[in-house]
Amino acid sequence: MIEIKDNIYYVGVNDRNKGLFEGLWPLPNGVSYNSYLINDEKVCLVDTVEADFFLPFLQNIREVLGDKPVDYLVVNHMEPDHSGSIALIKKYYPDIKIVGNKKTFGMMSGFYGIGDGTVEVKNGDVLQLGSHTLTFVFTPMVHWPETMMTLCAGADCQVLFSGDAFGCFGALNGGVIDEEINCDTFWLEMVRYYSNIVGKYGTPVQNALKKLAGVKLDYICSTHGPVWHEHIGRVVDIYDRLSKYETEPGLVICYGTMYGNTERAAEVIARAASQAGVKNIVMYNVSQTHHSYIIRDVFRYRGLIVGAPTYNTGLYHEMDVLLSELAGKDIKGNHLLGWFGSFAWASKAVGEIARWNEERLHFEAVGTPVEIKQSLTADTFAQCEALGRAMAEKLLSE
């Protein structure tokens, strides 16, 4: 098994078969379920894995311990991809003590009917294993109410077992620690993971970061993705910026289209913004691209222009869904929004997008909305150009 440092081992598994994480988010590169084992005078397992992977998980544990028992299981997070093997672990290690907080045990009883053999801890409590000392740091709503992190101080290093925080999509292809692998594929997947799963909870993330401020960390051991060592500063910075809803100068243009007229308008807008000096422009057809990638880039870039046709005397379905998803993320900060729409015989799309912004999104409106009847004319072509330029001017002025 892989020793991270100082008798701390990685005993997690990879899932390369699941198509959608939580039934929602695509996994083109799979995902890892990370668990860790501290082999000391008292042996401590930190989090488990999804139940389908219990047998390889158990083999990983036994590769480190042999027949040695496990004394404690720390449960930092109760989502079943991390807690799913708790009942099975208890069958193989019946004397194990499960360490968690009051909300942990309420969920554990509900999910698995387990209520015995527990050790309840409070924020700041300490558990001594021998040469390793565990300190529990409560981080509620990052991103469930029971979440906590576990700080492990050993003789040679300090390790943070961070739960889902600082995690990302993507299976681990042999290596586990960031310094041993090429991390290029993980950076945008970290942003997609954060924006879609944690993104609503920026304030709790900031509260968690404040609790960790000034703590020297040698390793961050998340429950998904690489173990961070060499890139700890970059990882923490990504979470800090995203949880403050800070953005880069750039523009997301996303559109729905049935017969190509709205798409042509989007192309005109993009070209005008580019000619006005915006370099970071990404375009998405909301019916072709999974919304998780669009949401990722909305978190990244300050500017957003959306457009769609009227459909069934309302807003084109996939655009309506995307705006609902964005509103559900409760994105704060300085996002800019422009919009356009098209119709054949009933004008609704432009008004519906305006309503979404007024009632739910609350982004700063930029430019004049463009309404296209049937297809682009010389006038609406010019209006699309003006919308692209207006967004560019706003982005570049700052």
Side-chain angles (χ1 to χ4, degrees), residues 3 16 33 53-54 88 104 146 187 201 255 314 332 338 341:
E3 183 178 13
R16 303 182 190 277
Y33 308 125
F53 296 86
F54 178 73
L88 292 167
T104 305
E146 89 300 350
W187 300 120
Y201 305 106
Y255 60 89
K332 300 176 179 64

Side-chain angles (χ1 to χ4, degrees), residues 44 71-76 97-101 104-105 108 117-121 127 134 136 148 150:
C44 182
D71 299 288
Y72 297 107
L73 166 61
V74 171
V75 180
N76 284 320
K97 299 294 184 183
I98 302 175
V99 181
N101 58 64
T104 305
F105 298 137
M108 193 167 68
T118 61
V119 177
E120 183 179 333
V121 295
L127 178 64
L134 304 184
F136 304 101
M148 67 182 192
T150 301

Side-chain angles (χ1 to χ4, degrees), residues 41 59 75 84 90 107-108 111 151 193 222 271 290 298 329 348:
E41 294 172 22
Q59 290 171 354
V75 180
K90 278 181 66 68
M107 291 185 179
M108 193 167 68
F111 275 119
L151 188 63
Y193 179 92
S222 175
R271 185 61 182 158
H290 193 276
V298 170
K329 301 301 177 188
K348 285 290 184 179

Side-chain angles (χ1 to χ4, degrees), residues 58-264:
L58 181 63
Q59 290 171 354
N60 292 344
I61 294 169
R62 287 180 165 171
E63 186 177 327
V64 177
L65 296 179
D67 294 329
K68 188 176 180 181
V70 179
D71 299 288
Y72 297 107
L73 166 61
V74 171
V75 180
N76 284 320
H77 185 27
M78 271 299 301
E79 267 193 290
D81 55 334
H82 308 300
S83 68
S85 292
I86 290 177
L88 292 167
I89 279 288
K90 278 181 66 68
K91 290 183 181 297
Y92 284 85
Y93 299 100
D95 296 326
I96 196 170
K97 299 294 184 183
I98 302 175
V99 181
N101 58 64
K102 184 176 182 180
K103 291 181 179 178
T104 305
F105 298 137
M107 291 185 179
M108 193 167 68
S109 175
F111 275 119
Y112 310 116
I114 297 173
D116 61 325
T118 61
V119 177
E120 183 179 333
V121 295
K122 295 180 172 60
N123 184 60
D125 280 358
V126 170
L127 178 64
Q128 192 71 45
L129 302 178
S131 61
H132 297 83
T133 303
L134 304 184
T135 304
F136 304 101
V137 181
F138 284 18
T139 56
M141 298 317 301
V142 185
H143 53 117
W144 276 26
E146 89 300 350
T147 54
M148 67 182 192
M149 300 182 188
T150 301
L151 188 63
C152 177
D156 298 324
C157 67
Q158 190 147 255
V159 175
L160 180 69
F161 300 103
S162 62
D164 273 354
F166 310 116
C168 57
F169 297 130
L172 299 171
N173 301 326
V176 167
I177 303 173
D178 61 357
E179 64 185 357
E180 302 170 344
I181 61 180
N182 186 334
C183 293
D184 290 350
T185 60
F186 289 107
W187 300 120
L188 281 181
E189 286 295 73
M190 175 174 281
V191 177
R192 188 165 70 96
Y193 179 92
Y194 177 93
S195 58
N196 286 277
I197 294 174
V198 188
K200 183 181 179 69
Y201 305 106
T203 298
V205 171
Q206 278 293 305
N207 292 337
L209 291 175
K210 288 174 184 175
K211 286 185 177 181
L212 298 172
V215 178
K216 180 184 179 299
L217 298 175
D218 297 293
Y219 295 88
I220 294 178
C221 295
S222 175
T223 47
H224 296 294
V227 171
W228 302 112
H229 176 57
E230 182 180 11
H231 297 299
I232 284 177
R234 181 173 180 176
V235 166
V236 173
D237 180 65
I238 288 172
Y239 263 64
D240 186 40
R241 287 187 292 104
L242 290 173
S243 60
K244 291 177 180 175
Y245 303 97
E246 294 179 356
T247 53
E248 306 170 37
L251 174 60
V252 179
I253 300 174
C254 53
Y255 60 89
T257 192
M258 288 186 287
Y259 302 110
N261 292 298
T262 317
E263 183 175 57
R264 282 190 283 276

